[in-house]
Amino acid sequence: MTVLARADAEGIARAVEILREGGLVAFPTETVYGLGADATSGWAVARIYDAKGRPSFNPLIAHVADLAAAQREALLPEAAVRLAEAFWPGPLTIVAPAAPGGSVSELARAGLPSVALRIPDHPVALALIAALGRPVAAPSANRSGHVSPVTAAHVAEDLSGRVDMILDGGRTAAGLESTIVSFCEGAPALLRPGAIAREKIEKALGLKLAAPPRAEVLAPGMTASHYAPNARLRLEAHELEEGEAALDFGGRLTPLASDGAVTLDLSPSGDLVEAAANLFTFLRELDARGALRVAVAHIPERGLGEAINDRLRRAAAPRL
């Protein structure tokens, strides 16, 4: 059941409790309503994808309380700091290399070495983030492909029964998503036009924004070979070959493993949300444990299974 609450002190306090427990809370920002989860929890982030019916693990924007918090999550060059000081809090998202020791989960980053950050300019959003004390992942609070919501009623139309709480803070001001600027490669690049015009950003930087350096930056993860561990993956496996590790789902392969074989089960109970939360972490762990060949169990092509299988196919693709 979804609780609709006023965005007052009591409502925000309950929303923080929900976020700490791994729940989902829709809340107002100055742009549109965001669907919030604890960005440090892969499990909570997986619930965002599930609730939205998002077809792939696109990177999510992590909302932070202040510039110091952003600098704990990303390696911000001087130009990015200058832009942040000019437009934060506000509808600007900065994409930069993730800082060592940053807390934003790999699932929120879609397994990429970069992280997307912004400080919202809305009292409810800022109060929520400050009280939680962690970054909040928050794409627009609507079903994937639907129009972004600017009122709590819009959120309820799309997500009632799929989120734990909707904080009603009235109509949002901008009604347009944030402008996204990347500081990952070369000159700063405009990844998405938004509520802050290109001209204002270029004036603050003192230079022209570049086009995205690679096509995949616009839609991360769209290259044929991506998210790839060192090991070779064999998909849709129904048995284990000699010397293979197992990336299991629902306990299909684990009983077949020989003594000493590396076996990781994305979800012993067959829960696709749990599997999504574990995916990137387990791919890295396979590398850490020295696996050279990995048999991957069948994962249903439904719900988050579509996105999981997409990432696994990219991970298994021939290296270029």
Side-chain angles (χ1 to χ4, degrees):
M1 185 181 78
T2 299
V3 175
L4 180 63
R6 293 181 60 180
D8 54 17
E10 182 179 351
I12 291 171
R14 177 58 188 137
V16 170
E17 291 178 7
I18 290 171
L19 291 174
R20 284 181 178 148
E21 295 165 357
L24 302 183
V25 175
F27 62 94
T29 76
E30 80 280 21
T31 56
V32 299
Y33 272 73
L35 178 56
D38 178 356
T40 71
S41 165
W43 175 272
V45 169
R47 290 196 61 204
I48 289 179
Y49 292 111
D50 187 53
K52 285 178 66 72
R54 200 167 176 126
S56 61
F57 297 140
N58 296 320
L60 301 180
I61 297 169
H63 296 67
V64 294
D66 51 37
L67 180 56
Q71 290 175 311
R72 289 193 292 271
E73 300 296 335
L75 301 176
L76 299 180
E78 187 275 333
V81 172
R82 189 164 69 248
L83 205 60
E85 291 173 340
F87 295 108
W88 278 355
L92 169 73
T93 294
I94 291 175
V95 179
S103 65
V104 175
S105 70
E106 284 206 82
L107 189 60
R109 296 190 285 110
L112 297 172
S114 56
V115 62
L117 302 167
R118 92 175 182 99
I119 303 174
D121 189 14
H122 193 288
V124 173
L126 288 171
L128 190 69
I129 296 164
L132 181 65
R134 305 170 196 162
V136 174
S140 57
N142 55 278
R143 296 299 300 275
S144 185
H146 291 195
V147 177
S148 295
V150 297
T151 67
H154 292 162
V155 178
E157 287 173 10
D158 259 18
L159 298 178
S160 183
R162 303 180 70 86
V163 302
D164 300 294
M165 174 181 276
I166 301 171
L167 279 176
D168 188 351
R171 186 181 182 88
T172 63
L176 184 66
E177 288 88 350
S178 63
T179 302
I180 303 179
V181 179
S182 171
F183 290 85
C184 290
E185 295 185 15
L190 181 66
L191 299 190
R192 182 180 75 183
I196 300 176
R198 171 196 290 268
E199 291 78 9
K200 289 186 176 181
I201 293 173
E202 291 178 339
K203 183 177 180 181
L205 288 173
L207 52 81
K208 293 289 186 182
L209 289 169
R214 300 193 308 263
E216 63 264 29
V217 175
L218 279 173
M222 296 304 292
T223 51
S225 177
H226 210 69
Y227 310 100
N230 293 328
R232 295 289 180 176
L233 305 188
R234 183 170 63 88
L235 307 184
E236 298 290 334
H238 297 282
E239 74 292 319
L240 280 173
E241 297 177 358
E242 186 176 353
E244 282 187 323
L247 185 61
D248 206 355
F249 178 77
R252 293 180 169 92
L253 296 176
T254 302
L256 306 176
S258 59
D259 291 342
V262 176
T263 59
L264 299 175
D265 197 326
L266 290 167
S267 175
S269 66
D271 184 324
L272 289 168
V273 173
E274 181 181 18
N278 286 330
L279 178 61
F280 294 122
T281 299
F282 281 13
L283 287 176
R284 287 185 181 273
E285 187 171 342
L286 287 167
D287 276 351
R289 295 174 69 169
L292 299 178
R293 295 184 296 119
V294 179
V296 182
H298 169 76
I299 295 172
E301 194 82 16
R302 57 176 170 77
L304 288 183
E306 180 182 3
I308 294 168
N309 282 316
D310 171 78
R311 291 310 187 263
L312 287 170
R313 282 190 289 269
R314 297 180 193 284
R319 310 297 199 271
L320 300 179

